[in-house]
Amino acid sequence: MNIRKSCRVLGLGAALLLLGATAQAQNALDTILKNKKVTIAVPPDYPPYGSMGKDFQIQGLDVDVANYIGAKLGVTVNLVPVTSANRIAYLETKKADVVIATLGKNPEREKLIDFAAAYSPFFQAIFGAKTSQVKGFADLAGKTIAVTKGSVEDAELRKLAPQGAEIRSYEDNTKTVSAYVNGQVDLIAVGASVAGNMMQQHPKVSTEFKLLLKDSPNYIGVAKGEDKLRLVINGIIADARKNGDLDKMAVRWLGRPVGDLP
C-alpha cells in the first residue's frame, strides 16, 4: 500500500504514524554514527564463538568480529550477552543494533529479522592431538574415533570414514569428550562449540582441528528493515574476506580459515 493511498484509507494521523515507523526502522546506522556507539549481542557461553575469559570479559570469534565491525565503523562497541532463546528478541526490542551469536538463517527467522553477511562456519569436524598425522580421511584407517551416538557428526563420519577406522559411539557429548581427553581414543568427532569448550577446559591435551565433516554458516542479524546498516556490514565483511582479516580471526578461534561462505 503506497503512502497516498494510506492517507485515504487510514486517515492523515494514521498515515503520519506509518511514515514515522518507516523512518524509525531505517535509522539505526545514522543513530550509531551519531552516538559513536554500536550495541552488539554476542554469546557468553558458547566457545569458541563467545565465552567468559579469565579477565571476566567475553572473548571468542563472534566478539572479534563484533569489535572489527565497530572499528571499521569508527565507533565504540557495547557488547551485550545473549542466549539462543533471546538473541532475536534483542533485535526486535532494540536492545541490540546487531546480533553476532552463531545465528543460522532459516525462513522462520527471516520473517522476524534481516540477515547481513555470513561471517563464519558452524561446523562438525574431527579433532585430534597436534602430533597426530591426519591430513585426509584415508589417514583415519587404523585410528579410533569417539563420536556421540545419533549426532550429525556420527552420521557424517560413517559416510566418510575409510575401512579400518574404528568408530566408537557414546551416549552423550560428555562421555564422548571424556573418552578422548582420557586417551581412550585417538580422535574425536564433534561440533565446533563442543570442541571449543573441550580445548578450553583441557589445554594440556593439545587438540587441533583435523578434518571437516559438515559446514553451515553463521550470519549477522539486524532488525527488520535496517537496510542501510545491513549493507554497510556486508561491505565490511566482504573486505575482511578479501584482505584475509576474517580468515585470521577464524584461524585464531576455530583453527581453520572460514572457507566458502554464501
Side-chain angles (χ1 to χ4, degrees), residues 148-218:
T148 301
K149 185 178 181 180
S151 64
V152 172
E153 49 269 21
D154 187 11
E156 295 300 318
L157 179 61
R158 293 181 188 280
K159 293 177 189 175
L160 298 168
Q163 188 174 5
E166 183 182 343
I167 299 171
R168 297 183 183 176
S169 299
Y170 297 86
E171 291 301 319
D172 55 43
N173 285 335
T174 300
K175 292 178 181 177
T176 303
V177 169
S178 178
Y180 172 71
V181 299
N182 290 323
Q184 298 170 12
V185 293
D186 302 312
L187 303 160
I188 182 171
V190 287
S193 59
V194 175
N197 191 50
M198 176 186 72
M199 289 187 280
Q200 188 178 63
Q201 293 183 0
H202 304 279
K204 292 183 180 179
V205 179
S206 188
T207 301
E208 68 178 9
F209 170 88
K210 293 295 184 182
L211 300 171
L212 179 68
L213 290 172
K214 188 175 183 180
D215 223 340
S216 55
N218 294 317

Side-chain angles (χ1 to χ4, degrees), residues 117-122 215-219 237 241 246-247 250 254 256-262:
Y119 66 96
S120 78
F122 187 85
D215 223 340
S216 55
N218 294 317
Y219 287 82
I237 296 300
R241 290 179 65 178
L246 203 57
D247 278 336
L254 304 179
R256 52 162 290 199
V258 294
D260 294 328
L261 295 175

Side-chain angles (χ1 to χ4, degrees), residues 11-84:
L12 180 59
L16 289 174
L17 286 174
L18 178 63
L19 276 170
T22 302
Q24 185 179 14
Q26 295 286 346
N27 73 355
L29 179 62
D30 295 334
T31 302
I32 289 166
L33 297 177
K34 178 182 177 181
N35 296 336
K36 297 189 180 298
K37 183 178 78 171
V38 60
T39 299
I40 302 180
V42 294
D45 56 358
Y46 213 69
Y49 298 95
S51 63
M52 202 64 67
K54 293 180 181 179
D55 58 356
F56 298 103
Q57 299 296 315
I58 303 176
Q59 62 180 15
L61 176 58
D62 290 6
V63 176
D64 281 5
V65 173
N67 287 327
Y68 186 89
I69 289 172
K72 293 299 180 180
L73 290 173
V75 300
T76 300
V77 177
N78 175 38
L79 297 174
V80 293
V82 290
T83 64
S84 295

